[in-house]
Amino acid sequence: MSELGVRPNETMVPLMPCASVEETLAFYEALGFVATYKQSKPYVYLALEWSGVHLHFGPAPKGLDPAREESGGCLVMVDAVAPYHAAFVAAMRRTHGKVLSSGLPRITRYRPGASRFTLIDPSGNSIIFIQRDEPAELEYGGSKKLTGLAKVLDNARILREFKNDDLQAFRALKSGVRRHGADAPVAELAIALCLLIDLATVLGEPTDPWATDLRDLELSPSDRQRIESELGHLAGLQEWLP
């Protein structure tokens, strides 16, 4: 007990804006959440629960634009993020026949070994699942020890995994390949081109420029091993590689 007489047995539940009751319920219930309370009049209030996760939703403020993805959010601390991502991906495939990886709503892609991923719901709220033992030395702005294309790749990773900004990651990689591609190790360049193909697919951009450049590369067995080790989570990787 603290000096103020407060016993440490609190439970904190985030309250986020809801732009559409129907869309919010459809999204979360498809993932396995159960609505323990739902009300649309005289004001919006939803209470959803899945496993140990509790999410509550209230009225959206006037002028809220879900597309800006600045509505609200919360952090969900877990022992291991991979099983959660796998569970949500499987639920999306059962309901939609595919993984919702672009637009609203969506789930961010998971790279093996990553310590977080994000669910973005129809109202633009971000539910971020984070591994409790995420490295304390993690540099959210990108590593300061890297240079050239390696630094660009690291910054693109930060933009995708921590800032959920695929468009800026795409732009950073395009600029980085143009500036540093000629001097970069071939495996590094191939990784950047594969990521550009993946991001172009997500963003609805043409993939031809990057696919053509990738096919022109000569990759050694060790180059392939490094690429597959870092990007084995990307669907279609084997089809892209020369």
Side-chain angles (χ1 to χ4, degrees):
M1 184 180 293
S2 71
E3 294 179 359
L4 299 177
V6 176
R7 295 183 181 276
N9 63 346
E10 301 87 352
T11 298
M12 188 175 70
V13 179
L15 177 62
M16 295 174 287
C18 174
S20 168
V21 170
E22 294 78 12
E23 291 180 9
T24 297
L25 284 172
F27 175 66
Y28 284 105
E29 288 179 339
L31 295 178
F33 281 77
V34 174
T36 57
Y37 186 85
K38 49 187 175 182
Q39 169 184 297
S40 55
K41 293 181 180 181
Y43 58 86
V44 169
Y45 201 93
L46 298 177
L48 300 172
E49 179 181 347
W50 178 83
S51 187
V53 181
H54 298 263
L55 304 175
H56 287 202
F57 298 86
K62 185 177 181 180
L64 176 73
D65 181 4
R68 294 178 62 86
E69 299 181 12
E70 298 173 345
S71 307
C74 70
L75 309 180
V76 182
M77 312 305 292
V78 298
D79 290 338
V81 295
Y84 290 84
H85 192 273
F88 293 141
V89 163
M92 285 180 177
R93 286 200 173 105
R94 285 194 300 270
T95 303
H96 305 283
K98 64 178 181 178
V99 179
L100 305 179
S101 59
S102 62
L104 284 181
R106 72 180 186 278
I107 187 172
T108 59
R109 300 192 177 198
Y110 177 75
R111 176 178 56 82
S115 56
R116 58 174 65 191
F117 72 88
T118 305
L119 284 172
I120 300 94
D121 73 12
S123 298
N125 298 302
S126 293
I127 316 302
I128 308 172
F129 287 74
I130 303 178
Q131 198 157 299
R132 285 193 178 91
D133 63 353
E134 186 175 74
E137 69 274 11
L138 197 66
E139 296 187 65
Y140 292 93
S143 173
K144 298 177 182 178
K145 299 177 183 178
L146 300 174
T147 59
L149 190 56
K151 183 176 181 65
V152 173
L153 287 168
D154 192 54
N155 285 335
R157 176 182 62 83
I158 297 296
L159 286 167
R160 293 199 81 178
E161 296 181 12
F162 297 94
K163 299 185 178 180
N164 302 318
D165 198 334
D166 285 348
L167 180 58
Q168 287 304 319
F170 185 61
R171 290 172 174 170
L173 283 168
K174 282 200 299 184
S175 175
V177 167
R178 185 172 61 250
R179 294 175 58 194
H180 306 292
D183 301 320
V186 66
E188 214 165 77
L189 177 57
I191 288 170
L193 293 172
C194 286
L195 290 172
L196 280 167
I197 294 171
D198 183 55
L199 281 163
T201 301
V202 170
L203 296 169
E205 296 283 342
T207 61
D208 293 345
W210 326 116
T212 299
D213 290 346
L214 183 58
R215 285 193 296 269
D216 289 340
L217 297 181
E218 294 185 8
L219 302 176
S220 68
S222 61
D223 291 333
R224 286 181 173 275
Q225 185 175 16
R226 177 183 171 185
I227 295 165
E228 291 173 1
S229 173
E230 294 191 25
L231 302 181
H233 61 292
L234 295 182
L237 178 65
Q238 296 304 324
E239 299 174 8
W240 306 338
L241 293 178

